[in-house]
């Protein structure tokens, strides 16, 4: 009884181009065919698929059985060089897939061990292939799990670092908040102290002002200005006038009129220049003293001071 051959097992699975794997059974095709959209299938797999739906199982393009062609040319030569081994348990054959059909036809292990029926042998082979496929998927899943675990470990480390950073920032924020509150309290205390000092300063100013006013009043009471209110100072009063100006040399009493005083001084000086016989004794010395005192005082205007300077120069008293 004839039976369908069991596909061989790639000797080096990683070197087999994916384009040569049947997208229906996921095995190396024993009879590879190519669609117009350049997808490779087993002849039996694509025929069975097209019997249900007239489209390519990969990209769902419309496909007619007559458009499916056997693999040929360069692709066939590459395909024939794929290294495979016999899938039957106990068989040690390996070689090129192009030679596998000849070997499979006479393989003594094709029908199973100890004369098992062909159906049982094919079932065993199918189970072996299924086990190999599941083992590959398991390895891939374990590899993916390891990769995911590595990523999870990295993420966990990142989360721990982020949590530590957040904790540090929170502590720092708490410290800054405390320092801010302390600073605000200090500023408030300083403002209070400044207000207190400002108040005390104003009080001291008021006290000093009051003391100055009281002292000025007492001074005025103790030192009442005595002068000739009629400003009748003449040749006989040179010494008295000199003493009056000397007593208040830099601060003329408000009640004294400096212009009247200047007129008196001018009349006294004119009397000196006239050299009258009845001038008092020591008149020259007294007038010289008076003019110098007037020039040194702050009683008189700029022009009046110029007069004093001229008189001093004229008499050689400068």
């Amino acid at each position: 009884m004839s039976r369908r051959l069991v596909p061989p097992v790639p000797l080096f699975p990683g070197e087999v181009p994916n384009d040569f794997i049947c997208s229906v059974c996921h095995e190396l095709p024993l009879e590879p065919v190519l669609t117009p959209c350049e997808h490779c299938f087993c002849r039996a797999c694509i025929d069975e698929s097209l019997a249900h739906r007239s489209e390519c199982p990969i990209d769902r393009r419309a496909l007619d059985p007559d458009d499916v062609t056997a693999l040929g040319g360069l692709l066939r030569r590459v395909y024939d060089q794929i290294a495979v081994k016999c899938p039957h348990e106990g068989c040690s054959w390996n070689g090129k897939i192009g030679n596998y059909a000849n070997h499979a036809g006479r393989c003594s292990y094709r029908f199973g061990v100890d004369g098992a029926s062909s159906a049982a042998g094919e079932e065993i082979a199918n189970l072996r292939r299924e086990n190999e496929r599941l083992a590959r998927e398991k390895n891939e899943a374990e590899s993916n799990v390891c990769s995911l675990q590595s990523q999870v470990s990295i993420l966990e480390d990142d989360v721990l670092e982020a949590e530590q950073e957040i904790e540090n920032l929170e502590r720092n924020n708490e410290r800054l908040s405390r320092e801010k509150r302390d600073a605000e309290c200090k500023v408030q205390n300083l403002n209070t102290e400044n207000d207190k000092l400002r108040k005390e300063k104003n009080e001291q100013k008021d006290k000093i002002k009051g003391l100055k006013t009281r002292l000025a009043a007492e001074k005025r009471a103790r030192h009442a200005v005595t002068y000739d209110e009629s400003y009748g100072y003449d040749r006989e009063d040179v010494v008295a006038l000199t003493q009056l100006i000397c007593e208040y040399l830099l601060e003329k009493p408000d009640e004294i009129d400096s212009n009247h005083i200047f007129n008196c001084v001018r009349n006294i000086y004119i009397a000196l220049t006239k050299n009258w016989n009845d001038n008092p004794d020591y008149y020259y010395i007294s007038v010289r003293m008076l003019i110098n005192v007037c020039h040194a005082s702050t009683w008189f205007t700029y022009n009046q001071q110029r007069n004093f300077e001229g008189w001093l120069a004229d008499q050689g008293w400068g």
Side-chain angles (χ1 to χ4, degrees):
M1 180 176 59
S2 63
R3 62 189 295 275
R4 180 181 174 182
L5 293 179
V6 178
V9 177
L11 196 60
F12 305 105
E15 298 180 2
V16 178
N18 289 332
D19 290 336
F20 286 133
I21 301 298
C22 175
S23 298
V24 176
C25 67
H26 304 290
E27 303 285 354
L28 269 173
L30 285 177
E31 188 180 353
V33 294
L34 196 65
T35 65
C37 49
E38 298 186 347
H39 292 125
C40 184
F41 300 96
C42 300
R43 167 64 73 177
C45 290
I46 192 63
D47 287 346
E48 183 178 355
S49 176
L50 292 176
H52 292 87
R53 182 175 294 179
S54 299
E55 60 182 24
C56 174
I58 303 301
D59 56 20
R60 303 304 181 188
R61 294 183 182 181
L63 181 63
D64 189 87
D66 295 335
D67 296 331
V68 179
T69 59
L71 196 66
L74 175 62
L75 291 177
R76 183 68 193 203
R77 290 195 296 274
V78 173
Y79 168 82
D80 286 342
Q81 297 302 311
I82 297 174
V84 296
K85 63 182 179 180
C86 182
H88 302 116
E89 186 176 0
C91 181
S92 60
W93 180 89
N94 61 73
K96 307 298 182 182
I97 193 170
N99 301 324
Y100 173 70
N102 291 332
H103 163 74
R106 58 178 182 273
C107 179
S108 58
Y109 295 90
R110 180 181 175 187
F111 299 108
V113 182
D114 298 331
S117 65
S118 60
E122 183 174 358
E123 182 66 21
I124 291 172
N126 289 335
L127 289 174
R128 289 196 186 107
R129 287 197 301 274
E130 181 68 14
N131 286 338
E132 291 175 357
R133 182 181 65 80
L134 292 174
R136 289 195 301 272
E137 293 178 354
K138 177 185 176 184
N139 291 336
E140 292 177 358
E142 289 176 348
S143 176
N144 291 335
V145 168
C146 290
S147 176
L148 291 174
Q149 287 177 341
S150 176
Q151 295 178 14
V152 169
S153 178
I154 293 173
L155 290 174
E156 288 177 346
D157 292 341
D158 291 343
V159 169
L160 289 176
E161 291 180 1
E163 290 176 346
Q164 184 64 38
E165 182 67 18
I166 290 172
E167 184 176 351
N168 292 337
L169 289 173
E170 289 177 346
R171 286 199 298 268
N172 192 45
N173 287 339
E174 290 176 358
R175 179 180 60 81
L176 291 174
S177 296
R178 289 194 301 271
E179 292 177 355
K180 179 183 178 183
R181 289 194 296 271
D182 293 342
E184 289 175 347
C185 184
K186 289 179 180 178
V187 169
Q188 185 177 359
N189 291 336
L190 288 173
N191 288 334
T192 302
E193 186 67 21
N194 285 339
D195 291 340
K196 179 180 177 182
L197 291 174
R198 193 178 297 111
K199 183 178 179 181
E200 291 177 355
K201 179 181 177 181
N202 292 333
E203 291 176 352
Q204 292 297 326
K205 283 183 177 181
D206 292 340
K207 288 181 180 180
I208 292 172
K209 184 177 180 181
L211 287 173
K212 285 182 176 180
T213 302
R214 184 160 59 92
L215 288 173
E218 291 176 355
K219 180 179 179 181
R220 286 193 299 271
R222 288 195 305 269
H223 302 283
V225 179
T226 303
Y227 69 100
D228 185 356
E229 296 181 7
S230 65
Y231 299 98
Y233 295 101
D234 56 17
R235 289 179 297 167
E236 301 297 332
D237 303 309
V238 175
V239 174
L241 182 56
T242 302
Q243 290 175 343
L244 174 65
I245 297 173
C246 281
E247 186 176 0
Y248 304 101
L249 186 67
L250 300 178
E251 188 176 355
K252 180 183 72 65
D254 293 337
E255 57 266 33
I256 297 177
D257 189 327
S258 60
N259 291 322
H260 289 318
I261 296 296
F262 176 78
N263 291 332
C264 293
V265 174
R266 181 174 56 189
N267 292 332
I268 292 171
Y269 176 74
I270 291 172
L272 175 69
T273 61
K274 297 296 184 178
N275 198 21
W276 289 328
N277 292 328
D278 59 347
N279 282 340
D281 295 335
Y282 308 108
Y283 190 68
Y284 179 85
I285 295 174
S286 298
V287 173
R288 181 178 180 178
M289 179 64 70
L290 173 62
I291 301 302
N292 276 287
V293 169
C294 289
H295 185 254
S297 73
T298 60
W299 286 35
F300 304 100
T301 66
Y302 174 77
N303 289 329
Q304 291 168 348
Q305 287 286 355
R306 293 294 297 273
N307 280 291
F308 296 143
E309 292 172 1
W311 298 344
L312 290 171
D314 290 343
Q315 298 299 324
W317 297 338

